Amino acid sequence: MNKTTTTVTGIALAAAIGSTVFLSTEDNTAVTNEGHNLTDDIAAVQVDIPEIENIQLDIPKITSLHVNQEQITSLCDEEISAQEIPVITVSDPTADIPRYATIIGEQQMLLRDKRNIQHDPALNSLASTTWEAWKKIYQDPLYLDYIMEYKPLSVTLRIINEVWCPKDHIQFKTMIQRLKEYRHWGYNAVLVCFDTSEKLMDLLCTVDYIKASGMKVVIVYTGGREDLHDSVFRDPANINRFLTQLAPRADALLLGWWRTSVHLFIPDAAYTNYIVKTARTANPDLPIIGQAYWGQTAETGTDPNDFRTTVACPENASAVLVMGMGYPGSANRQTLNSLFSEIASHPHKIALVAGERPYFDSHHSTNRTASENRKIKRSLELRLLRAGFQSTMTFSGDGSNGGYDKNKTENLCQEYQ
């Protein structure tokens, strides 16, 4: 019988046990009877399948298992004492709930910005050690009842932002060159940012250089990146250490920027007073700059178009930074009086200058040259001064700070490409 016949005979056997196979020749070509006289002489094959009775296995029952110390020793190179056998314990996953509920209750009562309770790692983690320190500050009459003394910011500032602590000599050299360019373009001050992760001595040397170059310095505690998952509530003792060293060198203190800006964090009086009082302890005449912002914050609605004005400007603030007017369509007195009526009469208003449109060089590129964008921002500075502002602070880039393109950073210690 050839291979084809063998295959067909296999089919008859497969059919008897309910399987399915396909008929094919050895070279996988189709088998037809075109041009051939084939005789169907394949008879059905009957296969007797034996009936399988129930199978019973006798499995010995283990009634007890006992291994004594001598048996263990015989299996090991050295003797194992009972004390060396680890004991595995399983903790109760609900054990921390009462403590966590207590902390959340305290934060709900003390903090205005409820969104930060969910996102700030210093607030929503039981492992954090800083909340207890901040809770004492929030409950201390020294900060609850503190009202700063008014100190005028008499000089007109044309601030360029921003400088972070250089990470190496290359960044320091880049900062020197870029600040030289901005001095040439008429800027007389620079915003210096810190979040307490820097090497304080390097930061102080940077500030000293900027001052020696003839530019004024506005300092700000940022709390980190423009990200809700960075912490505002870092170790207050560490914030104290930075502020008391920087304040005597500074010409003003801005109360919020990036993570601590009002669009991501609405400060309470105790928080603001801790920052101010700490800085004023080291420099009693330090001018303080508050914030006024138009846009979405923790207290706006869920509607993405629900923009509101939020003011975080304590009593007797020396100046107020106004954010939301630094574009061609809103750089006018009408916008100031309508959106920012609460601070429109403040004696020293600083306008934040953004550019032609939000993120004009990254997320919403206008494809203009750096020179063209500088001219647009200079035109906006002049318009805002005519609209009633006394000073300006201008983004060195497009305001995205590397969020959409890492080469479009505001940090003057890095090249802007």
Side-chain angles (χ1 to χ4, degrees):
M1 193 177 284
N2 60 30
K3 288 187 178 180
T4 302
T5 306
T6 304
T7 304
V8 174
T9 306
I11 292 174
L13 179 59
I17 59 174
S19 300
T20 303
V21 296
F22 293 94
L23 174 64
S24 65
T25 61
E26 186 177 23
D27 61 357
N28 294 324
T29 57
V31 177
T32 69
N33 47 357
E34 226 177 80
H36 299 278
N37 294 320
L38 299 178
T39 303
D40 186 6
D41 60 352
I42 301 173
V45 178
Q46 185 171 354
V47 179
D48 294 329
I49 301 175
E51 194 174 310
I52 301 175
E53 301 290 341
N54 291 334
I55 299 175
Q56 292 185 349
L57 298 177
D58 291 331
I59 301 175
K61 184 178 181 181
I62 301 174
T63 56
S64 64
L65 179 63
H66 177 72
V67 181
N68 59 30
Q69 186 66 43
E70 287 74 22
Q71 289 173 309
I72 295 176
T73 305
S74 67
L75 297 174
C76 303
D77 292 334
E78 55 183 288
E79 186 174 354
I80 302 175
S81 67
Q83 288 77 14
E84 293 174 336
I85 300 175
V87 178
I88 300 175
T89 58
V90 179
S91 60
D92 181 359
T94 65
D96 287 330
I97 290 179
R99 178 173 168 238
Y100 191 72
T102 299
I103 292 175
I104 292 297
E106 294 169 345
Q107 293 169 355
Q108 289 284 350
M109 180 180 64
L110 294 173
L111 303 178
R112 173 182 172 182
D113 193 329
K114 309 306 181 187
R115 180 176 62 178
N116 272 275
I117 298 174
Q118 302 174 18
H119 297 286
D120 192 314
L123 299 180
N124 60 22
S125 170
L126 290 177
S128 172
T129 59
T130 61
W131 168 243
E132 288 299 319
W134 278 105
K135 184 175 72 172
K136 292 179 181 177
I137 291 170
Y138 266 67
Q139 295 173 329
D140 191 337
L142 185 67
Y143 303 110
L144 291 173
D145 302 332
Y146 174 76
I147 298 177
M148 76 173 80
E149 184 180 351
Y150 174 72
K151 299 292 181 180
L153 180 59
S154 55
V155 64
T156 297
L157 297 178
R158 190 179 175 205
I159 310 165
I160 190 68
N161 66 284
E162 58 204 24
V163 163
W164 288 81
C165 184
K167 294 182 177 180
D168 50 42
H169 71 282
I170 296 175
Q171 287 200 359
F172 191 84
K173 184 177 179 180
T174 300
M175 181 197 74
I176 292 174
Q177 179 58 38
R178 296 193 68 192
L179 285 178
K180 181 179 179 181
E181 293 172 351
Y182 280 104
R183 286 198 306 272
H184 174 73
W185 293 324
Y187 292 89
N188 63 2
V190 61
L191 182 69
V192 175
C193 306
F194 71 96
D195 62 13
T196 73
S197 67
E198 302 84 357
K199 293 181 179 178
L200 180 55
M201 186 55 65
D202 290 351
L203 184 59
L204 296 177
C205 290
T206 301
V207 171
D208 289 342
Y209 172 82
I210 296 171
K211 295 282 290 185
S213 72
M215 298 188 81
K216 297 188 181 298
V217 169
V218 178
I219 59 172
V220 61
Y221 165 64
T222 67
R225 304 164 300 162
E226 195 175 14
D227 189 322
L228 285 170
H229 295 91
D230 271 18
S231 181
V232 171
F233 293 96
R234 303 189 179 199
D235 182 3
N238 210 22
I239 297 173
N240 181 299
R241 186 168 66 93
F242 273 73
L243 283 174
T244 53
Q245 293 293 312
L246 287 167
R249 294 168 162 83
D251 296 282
L253 166 69
L254 175 61
L255 288 177
W257 191 242
W258 296 132
R259 179 64 178 91
T260 55
S261 180
V262 289
H263 74 297
L264 290 185
F265 173 61
I266 301 178
D268 300 282
Y271 170 88
T272 297
N273 290 339
Y274 178 79
I275 299 295
V276 172
K277 197 172 189 311
T278 300
R280 282 274 180 93
T281 298
N283 182 356
D285 296 322
L286 183 67
I288 305 299
I289 303 172
Q291 309 169 75
Y293 172 79
W294 185 76
Q296 292 181 303
T297 70
E299 296 181 342
T300 56
T302 57
D303 184 346
N305 298 314
D306 185 7
F307 282 27
R308 305 178 192 177
T309 300
T310 304
V311 175
C313 187
E315 185 178 350
N316 291 332
S318 312
V320 55
L321 176 67
V322 178
M323 299 170 280
M325 290 183 57
Y327 304 100
S330 55
N332 53 64
R333 188 178 295 274
Q334 180 181 357
T335 302
L336 174 63
N337 291 333
S338 60
L339 295 183
F340 298 98
S341 58
E342 186 176 340
I343 51 85
S345 60
H346 196 284
H348 199 138
K349 297 176 292 295
I350 304 173
L352 178 63
V353 179
E356 184 173 5
R357 60 188 296 185
Y359 316 133
F360 61 81
D361 204 23
S362 58
H363 192 46
H364 303 298
S365 178
T366 58
N367 296 314
R368 298 187 187 276
T369 66
S371 178
E372 289 172 332
N373 286 323
R374 281 197 303 272
K375 289 178 181 178
I376 291 171
K377 285 188 276 192
R378 179 54 180 160
S379 173
L380 288 169
E381 289 173 352
L382 295 173
R383 287 182 60 181
L384 288 162
L385 291 172
R386 290 194 296 269
F389 288 87
Q390 288 68 45
S391 295
T392 58
M393 185 167 81
T394 305
F395 282 118
S396 59
D398 70 353
S400 66
N401 197 29
Y404 298 107
D405 183 338
K406 65 180 181 180
N407 296 315
K408 308 298 183 181
T409 173
E410 308 307 315
N411 187 0
L412 293 170
C413 297
Q414 300 177 28
E415 295 286 354
Y416 190 92
Q417 301 175 14

